[in-house]
Amino acid sequence: MTTAPLDGKVAIVTGGSRGIGAAIAALLAEHGAAVVVSGRDADRLQRAVQALQERGATVHGVVADAAKREDVDRLVEATKERFGRVDILVNNAGVSLWTTIDETSEADWDRVLDTNLKGVFLGCKAAIPAMRRTGGGSIVNIASMAGLQPLPRHFAYCAAKAGLIHMTRSLAADHGREGIRINCICPGAVLTPLLGVAIDIDDPALLERIGRGAALGRVGKPEEVANVCLFLCSDAASYMTGATLSVDGGPPGVARLGR
């Protein structure tokens, strides 16, 4: 009998009620993990959990704001109480903001940095002790290509994601000897509600135009990011930590060189 790669593992996915987070939660559950998903919107979270349960997943939902320590601590404690351990943490929760510095208030800046950067700090701070007690684990931080290259009118988001990439490397160096692997994924343009903050994702012509900016000539799917996350969470990536993997369809220069 073939064993699923995540059998017996317990995973937390923040921002797991839609988009990339929902795709990751579904794939981890499909491959054997018990999954706890969190989100701020209780109704949306309930619908997401129910959809996964109808597919046979072992899943539990916790309403939590990734930017609030009390919520994150409660999320990790609820996971331990229900499933006894934490083996995987996917820090996926994020918010976006399309403004220049002139248009950005201090409250706007705080909201973006609190969720996209401080939220990962809080998640790691709560989950790492639990992983340490059971001999290790895997943390995957969902950053963005915006952390590697600038996007116009996106400076706060770019700053947060760039910080997250370097924080991932630093945490990996600190906790590798404890058996805790910490890696980072940088998605490019992926068809999610977060992309819908910036563009009309129901406009096929616009999506096609954006997709032409990638070597593969299209916008990505949440499931394609989830596939990479599954790899990093599994023992197939047992000698990887501190890595940053781009899931962006390739730079357009690759396509030009191939002609």
Side-chain angles (χ1 to χ4, degrees), residues 20 187-196 201 219-223 225 247:
I20 290 173
V190 177
L191 190 58
T192 66
L194 195 63
L195 183 62
I201 59 176
V219 171
K221 304 171 187 175
E223 293 77 15
V225 180
V247 186

Side-chain angles (χ1 to χ4, degrees), residues 53-227:
Q53 289 173 338
E54 289 172 354
R55 294 165 58 177
T58 300
V59 61
H60 178 61
V62 176
V63 177
D65 185 338
K68 295 181 178 179
R69 178 166 186 174
E70 60 271 23
D71 283 18
V72 176
D73 288 347
R74 178 169 48 80
L75 169 63
V76 173
E77 287 304 312
T79 303
K80 292 191 295 183
E81 288 174 10
R82 193 171 189 92
F83 296 113
R85 56 191 296 133
V86 179
D87 301 291
I88 295 166
L89 169 65
V90 181
N91 286 304
N92 169 76
V95 297
S96 184
L97 181 68
W98 288 82
T99 58
T100 65
I101 197 166
D102 293 325
E103 302 161 337
T104 303
S105 68
E106 184 177 353
D108 290 333
W109 170 266
D110 288 345
R111 179 172 63 88
V112 174
L113 271 291
D114 281 355
T115 300
N116 296 338
L117 190 57
K118 177 184 169 185
V120 178
F121 156 71
L122 294 175
C124 292
K125 187 171 180 64
I128 283 174
M131 292 179 176
R132 185 184 294 127
R133 284 193 292 271
T134 54
S138 174
I139 297 174
V140 179
N141 297 326
I142 307 300
S144 169
M145 290 304 296
L148 297 172
Q149 58 191 34
L151 289 177
R153 298 178 57 82
H154 223 43
F155 79 99
Y157 185 81
C158 289
K161 294 302 187 179
L164 174 53
I165 291 166
H166 201 65
M167 183 168 74
T168 298
R169 297 179 182 132
S170 183
L171 288 170
D174 285 343
H175 299 287
R177 297 298 177 91
E178 298 172 326
I180 300 172
R181 298 184 299 104
I182 307 172
N183 294 291
C184 187
I185 297 175
C186 290
V190 177
L191 190 58
T192 66
L194 195 63
L195 183 62
V197 172
I199 67 166
D200 180 4
I201 59 176
D202 295 319
D203 183 345
L206 181 56
L207 288 179
E208 182 181 0
R209 188 162 70 249
I210 291 172
R212 286 200 296 268
L216 294 179
R218 62 176 176 83
V219 171
K221 304 171 187 175
E223 293 77 15
E224 292 173 309
V225 180
N227 287 333

